[in-house]
């Protein structure tokens, strides 16, 4: 069942609630904050529902777009999560309930739907999102020279606190590079197991006294929640790029967390070779300063657009301090056929409230520093991957 999070301001609840009821009647699983029960920590309940959602509906009115605080934080967090979606995935739908100025951060990346006249269009978009999450997993998706199958599993343990873990990761098969497929599956299995082992720490860190007040509430159980998705971004017989996205929330915490890491490989003689951004460059250390300047420029532009204003001198200082020129900012990147994207998860650069950031640099931007015959020459002939996830197997521990 598709989980749909309804973002709105309190003043618009009467306008939004009928759509909650209509979505529920159609078989979707919408969430709205009227479901928070007396005595529950409202911030924790909202964050838990937010992290579990498949699709975010952003209801826009003059009141919601001008309101500061939690509504804007949810919008920024929802936009941040789209960065880790697969190409073509529907994960966020802006909805115009009343005429208003649509925020630039939404308008530049998403087409909005006007309600009530666009109701059927909204339903079709949600049905497509549900379809994207239920692709024919048993036949897999062709990603030359691989066929990739999505595996999804859920683990749950009840305690004080307990844990809930949902994971999506690829299973790879290939007749042309069979050893590479075996090594990739072993690598994905290690990432999967590491996430599960970390979640199981709750078993030896029980806080029965702290969570005892929750015991009488049958509708809410204290649980650390973790959502892990290993996503292929680019593939051919010579080069691979994957990202690992995790978000969640610890029981009783004030805020959730969002984290990302990337893994990039060359394939030589049917064996995986891990590569870093340095492997793209002729002289990495001499190139750091110039490439860092390009990254700062991209991040500064995104920062200014996100907060709808020109950067002050203090803001520019913050950007320079957050992005040092020692090469550490190039750790997380995904490869595309036209360049690389550096990823900075929520809280890494400017604090939790500012959200996640990214910097796209084309191979043309990087041309002065690229190594002749380096990994970029193989990436340019690879395919960006569009892969629609969806299968559901639950494991109770």
């Amino acid at each position: 069942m598709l989980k749909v999070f309804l973002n709105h301001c309190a003043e618009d609840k009467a306008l939004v609630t009928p759509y909650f009821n209509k979505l529920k009647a159609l078989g979707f699983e919408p969430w709205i904050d009227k479901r928070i029960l007396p005595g529950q920590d409202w911030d924790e309940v909202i964050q838990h529902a937010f992290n579990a959602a498949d699709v975010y509906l952003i209801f826009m009115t003059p009141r919601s777009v001008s309101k500061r605080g939690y509504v804007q934080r949810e919008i920024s967090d929802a936009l941040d999560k789209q960065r880790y979606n697969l190409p073509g995935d529907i994960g966020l739908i802006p909805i115009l309930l009343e005429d208003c100025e649509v925020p630039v951060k939404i308008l530049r990346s998403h087409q909005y739907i006007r309600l009530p006249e666009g109701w059927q269009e909204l339903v079709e978009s949600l049905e497509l999102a549900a379809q994207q999450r239920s692709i024919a997993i048993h036949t897999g998706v062709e990603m030359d020279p691989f066929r990739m199958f999505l595996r999804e599993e859920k683990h749950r343990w009840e305690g004080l606190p307990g844990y809930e873990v949902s994971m999506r990761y690829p299973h790879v098969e290939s007749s042309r590079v069979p050893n590479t497929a075996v090594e990739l599956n072993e690598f994905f299995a290690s990432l999967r197991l590491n996430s599960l082992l970390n979640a199981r720490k709750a078993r030896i860190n029980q806080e029965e006294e702290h969570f005892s007040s929750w015991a009488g509430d049958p509708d809410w159980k204290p649980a650390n929640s973790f959502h892990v998705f290993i996503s292929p971004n680019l593939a051919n017989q010579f080069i691979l790029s994957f990202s690992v996205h995790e978000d969640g929330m610890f029981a009783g915490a004030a805020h959730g967390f969002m984290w990302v890491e990337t893994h990039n490989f060359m394939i030589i003689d049917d064996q995986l070779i891990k590569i870093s951004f340095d492997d793209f460059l002729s002289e990495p250390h001499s190139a750091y300063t110039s490439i860092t300047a390009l990254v700062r420029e991209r991040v500064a532009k995104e920062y200014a657009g996100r907060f709808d204003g020109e950067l002050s001198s203090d803001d520019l200082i913050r950007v320079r301090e957050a992005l040092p020129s020692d090469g550490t900012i190039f750790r997380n990147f995904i490869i595309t056929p036209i360049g690389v994207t550096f990823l900075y998860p929520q809280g890494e650069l400017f604090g939790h409230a500012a959200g996640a950031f990214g910097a796209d640099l084309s191979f043309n931007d990087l041309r002065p520093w690229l190594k002749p015959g380096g990994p970029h020459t193989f990436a340019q002939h690879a395919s960006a991957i569009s892969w629609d996830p969806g299968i559901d197997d639950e494991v109770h521990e």
Side-chain angles (χ1 to χ4, degrees), residues 7 13 22 65 102 159 166 168-169 174 180 193-194 199 228 230 232 254 279 305 324 344 346-347 365 382:
N7 168 276
K13 189 175 296 295
K22 292 174 73 173
V65 299
V102 179
S166 63
R168 293 175 174 177
Y169 56 93
S174 176
T180 297
L193 181 58
N194 187 60
V228 182
I230 303 174
D279 296 311
Y344 307 104
Q346 189 173 36
D365 294 328

Side-chain angles (χ1 to χ4, degrees), residues 165-176:
V165 183
S166 63
M167 293 186 284
R168 293 175 174 177
Y169 56 93
H171 172 78
V172 182
E173 295 181 3
S174 176
S175 59
R176 291 165 56 190

Side-chain angles (χ1 to χ4, degrees), residues 18-66:
Y19 294 109
F20 168 87
N21 294 329
K22 292 174 73 173
L23 290 170
K24 192 173 182 66
L26 288 174
F28 298 108
E29 188 176 336
W31 192 93
I32 196 170
D33 58 11
K34 74 174 185 178
R35 299 175 65 183
I36 299 177
L37 301 175
Q40 290 183 330
D41 184 320
W42 65 272
D43 189 76
E44 182 167 359
V45 175
I46 291 173
Q47 191 69 49
H48 188 274
F50 181 90
N51 288 335
D54 297 307
V55 178
Y56 303 92
L57 303 186
I58 309 297
F59 288 88
M60 299 180 292
T61 67
R63 296 167 293 280
S64 69
V65 299
S66 62

Side-chain angles (χ1 to χ4, degrees), residues 40 54 62 69 105 120 124 144 165 195 248 267-268 308 340 355 357:
Q40 290 183 330
D54 297 307
K105 60 187 176 184
Q120 188 56 40
E124 290 174 359
D144 186 50
V165 183
S195 295
I267 303 171
I268 299 177
D308 298 325
V340 298
F357 286 81

Side-chain angles (χ1 to χ4, degrees), residues 12 25 55 89 103 131 134 160 175 177 194 197 207 228 252 261 269 301 316 329 345 364 390 395:
D12 294 334
V55 178
D89 274 1
Q131 182 181 357
S134 60
L160 295 172
S175 59
V177 282
N194 187 60
L197 293 178
E207 301 177 72
V228 182
E261 69 178 28
D269 296 331
K301 183 177 180 180
L316 292 173
I329 65 170
N364 191 53
V395 180

Side-chain angles (χ1 to χ4, degrees), residues 97-170:
L97 276 181
E98 296 178 357
D99 287 334
C100 62
E101 185 176 347
V102 179
V104 174
K105 60 187 176 184
I106 292 177
L107 195 58
R108 67 178 173 221
S109 58
H110 291 79
Q111 176 64 45
Y112 63 81
I113 293 174
R114 186 186 294 269
L115 289 182
E117 55 266 39
W119 171 250
Q120 188 56 40
E121 186 180 357
L122 172 60
V123 172
E124 290 174 359
S125 294
L126 290 174
E127 288 175 344
L128 176 57
Q131 182 181 357
Q132 289 174 336
R133 286 158 178 77
S134 60
I135 195 170
I137 296 304
H138 300 294
T139 59
V141 177
E142 195 71 37
M143 301 175 184
D144 186 50
F146 305 101
R147 181 168 289 274
M148 294 194 187
F149 301 79
L150 184 69
R151 297 291 183 257
E152 179 171 298
E153 57 188 65
K154 295 184 179 181
H155 300 260
R156 180 160 54 89
W157 179 75
E158 294 185 5
L160 295 172
Y163 59 78
E164 297 176 352
V165 183
S166 63
M167 293 186 284
R168 293 175 174 177
Y169 56 93

